[in-house]
Amino acid sequence: MPALVHHRLWRLGAVLALAALVVVPACSKRRSLPLVVNQPPEVTLTQAPAAANRPYFYAYEIFWSGYDPDGRVDHYLYCVDPPTQAGSDTPWVYTQENRHTFLFSSTDADSLGTPSNPGGFHVFTIVAVDDHGARSPVVSQAFFSYTVAPTVRFVQPKSNKVFPPYVPPTTTITFSGDDPDGQTSRTPVKYKYKLFSQDNLDFDFLTLLLRPDSLRHYYANHNWAGWDSVAGDTARVTLTHLQPGGTKYVLAVISFDEAGAYSPVFSLDTNMLYFTCQYEAINGPAITIWNDYFSYAQSGLPGTCSFCDDPTTFVHLEVPYGKPISFNWHAVAHTGNFVRYYRWCMDIDRLDDETQRSSQTDVRHWSTWEQQLTTAVVGPFSGGTATVPDAHHFYVESEDDNGLQSLVGLDFVAVKPTYSRPLLVVNDTRFAVDFARTSKPDSILTPGGPWPTAAELDTFMFARGGVRWRYVIPYGTLSPPGVLLGYDYDTLGTRGLSSLTLTTLARYRAVLWMCDPALAYQDTAYAPNDSRQPITMLHWMTGAGRTNTLSIYAAMGGRLWMCGGGAALNSLMSRNVFSNDHSGFPVFSNALGELVPGRVMYSVAHWQSEISTGKTYRAVVNPALAPTWPGAPDYSRLPAELIEREGGDTPDPVPPMRNIYSFAATYDAEVLDLPNTIVDLPDSTSALDTLYTTGEFPGGDVVMTLYHGQDNGPMVFSGFPPWFFHHDACIALTDFVLQNVFQLSRAPLSRDPRSGTLPVAPATLGRHVQPARRAQRAAVTRGWR
């Protein structure tokens, strides 16, 4: 009977997609977007037997399909029996087809083969190429004359013939196998492995590296003599007594299926692990430690100090007073090792003090070593005073199976709010700055682009009014009163700031944080003479390894209003997954792990489903708003609709050196576009009220909300810039938030921009905490400053 009759059907899984190095810029008329990395395509290989009419041959009709997440698959490249010698070029065959019948010769055509000699095999490989030239990872499959060969691939560490991993003298190697046509399981029934060293004589080491397939030719003919075996469900091998000092090794692993067929493709990319033993360059496990306010991760790179008791290397952070503080951690051991256990302590006198704890509350000594010990709760703390801070030192240690240890030290201060001042306005925008004319004193270059520039926004928000507007024509023009005139507030500009402490925020009962959609051009400290824009403070402090003092402030009960159309973008951009972005604009999803606990938009604003950015919409009040909870504000004070002031439709006076078309016709909004119900109140009522939507309720996306639950103080989030709308509407919206929600008072001063000379506000209103530095030395500030 022909061997062909015994062919079976099977399917193979999809391959992984890797990031390509081709980048294409996303375009927008409104702002610069990050470069979008072209993603490589994917190719899925399936195959089924086909009838062969020639003796001593067997045939497979092989099918494949391709997918490109950000484009299209242009063509495929395939090869039958690619060369195995190192450095050889693969003779790829170009095709745009999705199927082909291949005829393979059999070295065992007159029988079905035996478990020890399953017959001849062939290898089919294929890659997909997209319209930008990016290639998918290579997919390959080996065929024996009567069965599909099982496969095996190293998992930890991964094979890398160009940059071989290094391991300690005792290491555990893990791998995975797959039997596509297994009858009872896709797990191979067993594995065989053998370790080769550059110093032993089992096999010529250079030949093994240059011609990996020579191993199969030699040992298959000797029935794999000298190879050790492990069961199919044990996909790991522990190697001991490796020689440090740069000794090179190769571990070869093959898998066997139920029919006795083995994985015949020997390659330094799959089943042969090329590595080096280098004990002195290996660190202990790399520890990551985090809570709701910060995240810090040791690099784990060779040569870095994984156990360093130098206080200058410790992490410094602030925590809220009066509540327990949780610390969570995990560690990743070096390649080939595993984390054996952890321990922690706080405020210990000496790190080498091994005195056992006297009780569970004795945190001043090390806890016992435990493998599952990955969290600790300390506090609450009193908060101390300005002269005697409530400072503490927290330590975590981990140890791997080689006895190598790592240490993370945290120096933290518990901060108690004073609320000595009513309001802090943080200007975290990155609008264009003005430039002085060198040839004409007391004048500037005509501002370009849409209103506002940085100075124009300062004047619109903060001006006292009735003050000569500097650097504008005609000379003597008086500034109009700002939106915040009459409130007692301080301002803080973030251009040039390297940090913002919780101690600073904790002085204020409320914080108004303005952040436009400007993205981070650099994630480093700001240099005064750098021509590039500095990153926003919100983007900086929400990055990995930094303390998010804004979230801590809210958790302490501080009142927060974030607006400007860029707060979500800047706080989440470092976590963005490009695959779900829409038309080049970021989308942040809980389902993809972008919008998760510990991030200000999720934990403080309580936008927890999906946020879309870059959308241009109206802002219409939610007609279903009702004061259904104790202390609810008077929602009737909200403007029914926020009207943009584009073109000639605005009733607002035109700023100096501008015309009626200087106002932008559109704005970039951040919206909540999936259902997002937050219920954390005792009476089970919603703790998140929708104030404005982008259209007729309930069909529009949510663009402004008020959170009034138990997790943090009242939090208002506006996914739009209030200054984009009519002056009167902006004032009404601001008064609603500051007076009705935050319970702040305001002096009765006129803010009518149409008035002539207006009374100047008292000097106590509108103070500067920190002057904002401009990005260029030639920049000037005009307006009331």
Side-chain angles (χ1 to χ4, degrees):
M1 179 179 293
L4 183 63
V5 176
H6 296 270
H7 286 178
R8 292 169 294 187
L9 300 176
W10 52 82
R11 294 182 179 177
L12 294 178
V15 299
L16 300 175
L18 300 178
L21 297 179
V22 181
V23 293
V24 292
C27 299
S28 171
K29 295 181 180 179
R30 296 184 288 272
R31 70 162 184 262
S32 298
L33 291 174
L35 295 180
V36 178
V37 178
N38 177 50
Q39 300 181 59
E42 302 174 0
V43 61
T44 300
L45 175 64
T46 61
Q47 75 276 346
N53 298 321
R54 297 173 56 186
Y56 310 108
F57 285 84
Y58 59 102
Y60 288 107
E61 185 177 19
I62 301 179
F63 298 77
W64 54 86
S65 63
Y67 167 71
D68 185 22
D70 57 356
R72 63 179 178 84
V73 174
D74 183 75
H75 62 275
Y76 303 91
L77 300 175
Y78 71 82
C79 180
V80 176
D81 293 333
T84 58
Q85 186 169 349
S88 300
D89 293 331
T90 302
W92 294 109
V93 177
Y94 174 97
T95 184
Q96 291 186 325
E97 298 178 350
N98 291 92
R99 59 191 291 180
H100 189 73
T101 299
F102 296 88
L103 204 60
F104 299 98
S105 62
S106 175
T107 59
D108 194 23
D110 292 331
S111 74
L112 300 180
T114 64
S116 61
N117 182 20
F121 75 90
H122 295 273
V123 178
F124 177 80
T125 60
I126 189 169
V127 296
V129 183
D130 70 9
D131 50 340
H132 291 284
R135 294 188 179 189
S136 70
V138 176
V139 178
S140 62
Q141 184 62 60
F143 307 94
F144 284 98
S145 59
Y146 65 95
T147 185
V148 179
T151 60
V152 63
R153 180 179 294 272
F154 284 100
V155 176
Q156 180 66 20
K158 296 183 180 298
S159 299
N160 191 325
K161 61 187 176 186
V162 179
F163 300 104
Y166 51 87
V167 302
T170 298
T171 186
T172 299
I173 310 295
T174 59
F175 43 87
S176 66
D178 181 45
D179 181 15
D181 60 348
Q183 296 300 294
T184 59
S185 171
R186 293 192 60 151
T187 301
V189 296
K190 67 176 179 180
Y191 301 96
K192 283 184 173 291
Y193 67 92
K194 186 172 179 60
L195 180 66
F196 300 89
S197 167
Q198 68 179 68
D199 298 329
N200 62 39
L201 303 178
D202 287 354
F203 198 90
D204 182 71
F205 200 75
L206 183 59
T207 301
L208 180 150
L209 295 178
L210 296 179
R211 297 181 57 199
D213 203 49
S214 60
L215 272 181
R216 180 183 61 83
H217 287 292
Y218 179 80
Y219 284 102
N221 292 332
H222 292 79
N223 200 24
W224 310 104
W227 289 56
D228 295 310
S229 298
V230 293
D233 56 353
T234 306
R236 65 181 181 274
V237 171
T238 298
L239 306 177
T240 59
H241 305 299
L242 301 177
Q243 296 300 313
T247 304
K248 296 177 174 57
Y249 294 89
V250 168
L251 176 67
V253 177
I254 57 175
S255 57
F256 286 80
D257 67 9
E258 299 157 315
Y262 62 87
S263 46
V265 179
F266 277 62
S267 168
L268 292 169
D269 295 319
T270 53
N271 75 320
M272 297 173 64
L273 179 65
Y274 179 37
F275 63 90
T276 300
C277 181
Q278 190 74 304
Y279 187 88
E280 62 273 12
I282 297 173
N283 301 323
I287 301 175
T288 297
I289 184 168
W290 76 95
N291 62 16
D292 285 345
Y293 318 123
F294 86 105
S295 175
Y296 169 77
Q298 290 181 321
S299 69
L301 296 175
T304 59
C305 183
S306 59
F307 193 102
C308 190
D309 56 2
D310 182 358
T312 62
T313 66
F314 292 169
V315 182
H316 300 273
L317 64 148
E318 297 168 302
V319 301
Y321 93 109
K323 60 187 305 182
I325 305 299
S326 296
F327 292 109
N328 312 287
W329 58 83
H330 70 82
V332 177
H334 192 271
T335 300
N337 297 101
F338 62 89
V339 177
R340 188 157 51 184
Y341 32 55
Y342 306 91
R343 65 177 183 174
W344 69 275
C345 66
M346 186 176 73
D347 297 333
I348 192 171
D349 292 329
R350 292 175 52 91
L351 290 175
D352 59 355
D353 182 1
E354 298 294 337
T355 304
Q356 292 185 355
R357 288 185 173 181
S358 58
S359 65
Q360 291 184 346
T361 60
D362 179 16
V363 299
R364 298 180 65 89
H365 294 98
W366 287 108
S367 64
T368 57
W369 289 103
E370 296 181 38
Q371 188 174 29
Q372 304 301 322
L373 182 61
T374 57
T375 187
V377 179
V378 294
F381 303 99
S382 65
T385 64
T387 56
V388 184
D390 190 4
H392 300 273
H393 312 283
F394 187 88
Y395 305 97
V396 174
E397 275 188 4
S398 67
E399 182 174 300
D400 68 13
D401 53 321
N402 268 315
L404 297 175
Q405 295 181 348
S406 296
L407 171 74
V408 167
L410 301 177
D411 287 345
F412 66 90
V413 176
V415 177
K416 184 176 183 179
T418 61
Y419 297 148
S420 58
R421 297 282 297 144
L423 175 64
L424 175 66
V425 183
V426 180
N427 189 345
D428 201 23
T429 63
R430 294 297 180 264
F431 289 115
V433 297
D434 292 330
F435 290 89
R437 290 180 183 267
T438 57
S439 60
K440 197 171 185 180
D442 201 17
S443 64
I444 62 168
L445 298 176
T446 302
W451 182 92
T453 62
E456 288 172 328
L457 180 63
D458 282 350
T459 300
F460 179 78
M461 296 297 298
F462 309 126
R464 293 188 176 97
V467 179
R468 183 179 71 83
W469 202 329
R470 298 173 57 209
Y471 294 96
V472 302
I473 301 172
Y475 184 86
T477 302
L478 300 182
S479 65
V483 170
L484 293 173
L485 180 66
Y487 290 100
D488 186 5
Y489 65 91
D490 297 338
T491 63
L492 179 71
T494 62
R495 294 189 194 229
L497 291 185
S498 59
S499 63
L500 180 57
T501 65
L502 179 61
T503 303
T504 298
L505 293 176
R507 300 179 190 141
Y508 299 91
R509 295 199 299 274
V511 171
L512 166 56
W513 194 291
M514 303 185 301
C515 188
D516 68 326
L519 293 177
Y521 295 100
Q522 54 185 19
D523 198 2
T524 58
Y526 170 64
N529 58 351
D530 197 324
S531 61
R532 297 174 294 180
Q533 290 277 22
I535 65 173
T536 64
M537 177 57 64
L538 187 59
H539 181 89
W540 185 87
M541 72 175 165
T542 52
R546 296 173 184 140
T547 304
N548 186 349
T549 55
L550 197 59
S551 292
I552 307 176
Y553 169 78
M556 294 166 60
R559 308 163 189 179
L560 178 62
W561 180 17
M562 298 178 71
C563 65
L569 184 73
N570 277 272
S571 65
L572 293 169
M573 190 61 204
S574 60
R575 321 288 185 168
N576 186 40
V577 177
F578 291 101
S579 62
N580 68 332
D581 290 352
H582 179 70
S583 300
F585 291 97
V587 175
F588 306 109
S589 169
N590 172 261
L592 293 184
E594 301 163 289
L595 190 59
V596 295
R599 297 171 188 173
V600 64
M601 289 305 301
Y602 185 98
S603 298
V604 181
H606 288 78
W607 284 27
Q608 299 179 353
S609 56
E610 182 176 276
I611 301 173
S612 292
T613 67
K615 293 194 173 183
T616 302
Y617 280 129
R618 306 160 59 202
V620 181
V621 75
N622 173 13
L625 271 175
T628 58
W629 48 278
D634 182 4
Y635 289 126
S636 66
R637 295 189 58 181
L638 285 168
E641 183 176 1
L642 302 178
I643 309 295
E644 63 273 10
R645 50 164 109 187
E646 61 173 310
D649 297 334
T650 176
D652 300 338
V654 178
M657 305 176 70
R658 292 287 195 170
N659 58 50
I660 59 175
Y661 301 104
S662 297
F663 298 114
T666 59
Y667 71 95
D668 291 336
E670 300 173 323
V671 300
L672 189 63
D673 55 10
L674 288 180
N676 189 98
T677 302
I678 304 298
V679 179
D680 64 4
L681 297 176
D683 58 358
S684 299
T685 59
S686 175
L688 186 68
D689 291 356
T690 296
L691 305 186
Y692 282 90
T693 67
T694 60
E696 296 300 329
F697 188 85
D701 294 327
V702 175
V703 72
M704 183 172 177
T705 59
L706 164 62
Y707 173 76
H708 52 87
Q710 304 179 101
D711 293 342
N712 49 260
M715 161 58 161
V716 177
F717 185 84
S718 304
F720 52 73
W723 50 85
F724 176 81
F725 304 105
H726 285 179
H727 184 271
D728 292 344
C730 184
I731 288 179
L733 185 69
T734 301
D735 288 347
F736 169 80
V737 175
L738 299 186
Q739 295 179 37
N740 284 55
V741 180
F742 293 168
Q743 304 299 311
L744 301 181
S745 60
R746 176 184 171 274
L749 298 174
S750 174
R751 290 173 289 183
D752 185 356
R754 305 165 191 81
S755 302
T757 302
L758 296 167
V760 177
T764 57
L765 301 182
R767 302 184 304 177
H768 288 282
V769 178
Q770 170 81 29
R773 296 196 309 183
R774 297 306 183 205
Q776 291 88 359
R777 292 181 178 179
V780 298
T781 303
R782 57 197 173 105
W784 67 284
R785 298 184 182 186

